[in-house]
Amino acid sequence: MLRWIVFIIIYITLGIYTLQAIKAATRYPWVYYAYMVLSLFVIGNFIYQFTMGDDPGRVLSVPKSYAFGLLLAMLTFMSITIVFLFSEDIFRFFTASYHKIFGGTKEFSLPQRRRFLSTIAMGIAALPFSALLYGMVKGKYNFRVLKYNLEFDDLPQSFDGYRITQISDVHSGSFDNREKIEYAIDLINKQKSDVLLFTGDMVNNMAEEMLPWKGLFSTLSAKDGKFSVLGNHDYGDYVSWETEDAKRNNLTDLKNIQKEMGFDLLLNDSRYLQKGDDRIALIGVENWGRGGFKKAGDLKKAVSNIDKDDFKILMSHDPSHWEDQVLKDDCHYHLTLSGHTHGMQFGIEIPGWIKWSPARWRYKYWAGVYEEMGQMINVNRGFGFLGYPGRVGIWPEITVITLKKRSLT
């Protein structure tokens, strides 16, 4: 209770301070009242959702995620506005103190200066505020197809030009627009890749989240099949289950759903993809993540039925697995496909110019293709979203990788 009281006091204080900027920038009372109504609605909805709303576990429900997203947008607007005004108030304080002691003009306290700075502050604050709202309305379904040509010296000749579509981090429990998901499924099928690989996190918490979308995802197709692995959210670890049997049954249900959708789920296992006399090994491990994440992945078991010299594609949900274990393994894994990071669903990407997200502070390999020690990884930015119900700058991704045999010349 004390934490809620402190939080509400801080929020109201920020709100009142920001209101002064609005009053300085405009003379229309309806603007003040609109701001007050909106800010009170945001905090009221947040308090309601996080005290009396549905409690599905540690992962936010859809109403909770929207309450969090709106609060984040409002706090961002308030904070940026206050940075400007507080700096001005500090300046005015020292200026006024100076003039009181030594005398002189009071031009720095003119209302015109305050109005000008308030207008600038709110104009700048409106940019991230609008971006966060856009991310919740449009950005989360702004699907992008990213295409890579990856060259390898020892790729079997028959697989030169072989196309892989990778999707990751569906998080079906967050979906709220069937039409947009139908569009994305159609976009995946239009790539007409040879094989479709899904690298984990089909749901947020429970297998039942996938039931409304099972028929739609069953329409995904690739001539050489659809393969999948589990992500950290698929195990039901973020829910308080009544019994261990209930948790185990949930995982069994999810495995069955994947099978019914036509996915071959690889649980520390492998398959061969065959073209004529050539073949490549497809390996799938269970989730293995650095820190407190589940560590069920077993590379030794996964490659027990393949030859060490095979060309290998590894599916492993968390890129920290690649960094901590795969690169150091005795086997050479030519290409690893991961997800997990979502690119933090927020960042700036201008191809050839800038690629930044807060995700880089936690993950060395957080989005796109990287190469280390002659081995490559693609970290998919994710199909769905989690927590904040949107995406800003880091858009939902469908990856299409074309394998190429490197020319001798």
Side-chain angles (χ1 to χ4, degrees):
M1 176 60 75
L2 179 61
R3 286 182 297 178
W4 277 111
I5 294 173
V6 172
F7 171 71
I8 293 170
I9 291 174
I10 293 174
Y11 182 88
I12 292 175
T13 301
L14 295 177
I16 292 173
Y17 206 104
T18 304
L19 182 60
Q20 305 314 306
I22 295 175
K23 287 183 175 180
T26 180
R27 299 175 181 175
Y28 298 105
W30 69 265
V31 178
Y32 321 152
Y33 298 131
Y35 165 76
M36 287 188 288
V37 169
L38 178 60
S39 59
L40 289 174
F41 168 77
V42 168
I43 187 64
N45 182 51
F46 182 81
I47 293 171
Y48 170 78
Q49 294 297 342
F50 280 80
T51 56
M52 303 176 65
D54 181 36
D55 184 17
R58 286 165 55 190
V59 178
L60 302 184
S61 64
V62 172
K64 279 187 175 181
S65 66
Y66 274 98
F68 169 72
L70 290 172
L71 180 71
L72 180 64
M74 183 60 73
L75 286 175
T76 301
F77 178 81
M78 290 178 177
S79 300
I80 294 176
T81 301
I82 288 171
V83 166
F84 276 81
L85 295 191
F86 187 70
S87 300
E88 165 65 2
D89 285 343
I90 294 295
F91 177 77
R92 284 159 56 109
F93 172 77
F94 283 109
T95 301
S97 299
Y98 175 86
H99 289 307
K100 186 171 183 179
I101 297 172
F102 299 103
T105 180
K106 297 183 179 180
E107 60 177 318
F108 290 108
S109 63
L110 291 176
Q112 289 83 356
R113 178 186 176 91
R114 183 73 167 187
R115 181 176 297 114
F116 173 76
L117 286 173
S118 295
T119 302
I120 293 296
M122 288 192 298
I124 294 174
L127 295 177
F129 176 78
S130 301
L132 288 167
L133 293 182
Y134 172 83
M136 294 166 64
V137 176
K138 295 286 187 179
K140 62 188 176 184
Y141 294 128
N142 187 21
F143 293 98
R144 301 294 178 91
V145 177
L146 301 185
K147 297 183 178 182
Y148 303 100
N149 292 326
L150 302 184
E151 295 185 339
F152 302 90
D153 292 324
D154 52 349
L155 178 72
Q157 187 62 49
S158 298
F159 285 88
D160 185 29
Y162 195 77
R163 285 164 60 90
I164 300 167
T165 290
Q166 179 199 3
I167 58 173
S168 190
D169 299 87
V170 165
H171 290 290
S172 56
S174 299
F175 293 159
D176 56 9
N177 189 319
R178 189 171 188 85
E179 182 179 345
K180 296 296 185 181
I181 303 304
E182 288 175 349
Y183 164 78
I185 295 298
D186 184 58
L187 190 59
I188 293 170
N189 283 333
K190 283 182 177 178
Q191 306 313 308
K192 297 187 181 301
S193 290
D194 296 287
V195 68
L196 175 64
L197 306 180
F198 170 66
T199 47
D201 277 1
M202 187 70 76
V203 298
N204 294 343
N205 289 314
M206 303 179 181
E208 64 186 33
E209 296 167 13
M210 196 62 200
L211 294 178
W213 311 98
K214 185 174 72 170
L216 191 54
F217 277 77
S218 297
T219 65
L220 290 170
S221 62
K223 67 177 184 178
D224 289 344
K226 304 183 292 188
F227 300 87
S228 63
V229 293
L230 297 176
N232 55 297
H233 282 268
D234 294 324
Y235 294 90
D237 287 341
Y238 308 123
V239 181
S240 297
W241 300 93
E242 292 184 0
T243 65
E244 282 299 314
D245 282 344
K247 183 178 180 180
R248 281 192 293 269
N249 290 338
N250 176 74
L251 182 56
T252 299
D253 289 343
L254 182 62
K255 292 176 181 178
N256 290 335
I257 288 172
Q258 293 214 27
K259 183 177 180 180
E260 291 164 5
M261 292 190 298
F263 283 93
D264 185 354
L265 180 61
L266 303 183
L267 302 171
N268 296 322
D269 204 353
S270 62
R271 302 286 186 271
Y272 277 112
L273 301 175
Q274 194 87 27
K275 287 181 72 68
D277 293 331
D278 293 330
R279 65 183 187 178
I280 60 177
L282 178 64
I283 303 144
V285 294
E286 294 199 51
N287 189 79
W288 192 102
R290 182 188 301 154
F293 289 107
K294 195 176 192 72
K295 295 176 174 61
D298 187 336
L299 276 173
K300 299 302 181 186
K301 180 180 178 182
V303 299
S304 60
N305 294 320
I306 67 171
D307 295 332
K308 189 173 183 179
D309 294 332
D310 284 328
F311 186 94
K312 304 175 194 66
I313 297 176
L314 172 66
M315 301 165 64
S316 179
H317 177 69
D318 192 320
S320 67
H321 185 223
W322 188 69
E323 182 181 358
D324 291 354
Q325 290 204 334
V326 176
L327 287 174
K328 302 171 184 177
D329 194 77
D330 293 338
C331 286
H332 181 89
Y333 297 90
H334 299 75
L335 174 62
T336 297
L337 302 177
S338 297
H340 182 64
T341 73
H342 300 203
M344 204 71 84
Q345 297 170 209
F346 180 87
I348 302 173
E349 287 194 90
I350 303 175
W353 291 88
I354 186 172
K355 177 181 171 183
W356 178 88
S357 165
R360 65 179 297 181
W361 298 332
R362 179 174 175 85
Y363 294 97
K364 183 178 179 180
Y365 310 102
W366 59 272
V369 175
Y370 304 85
E371 183 173 4
E372 297 283 354
M373 300 170 60
Q375 303 176 70
M376 293 187 186
I377 185 174
N378 179 63
V379 184
N380 185 286
R381 293 160 180 81
F383 183 92
F385 49 92
L386 185 72
Y388 164 63
R391 284 178 175 266
V392 179
I394 306 294
W395 312 120
E397 176 182 343
I398 298 163
T399 310
V400 177
I401 295 172
T402 301
L403 303 180
K404 304 291 290 184
K405 188 173 181 64
R406 185 176 285 116
S407 172
L408 295 178
T409 59

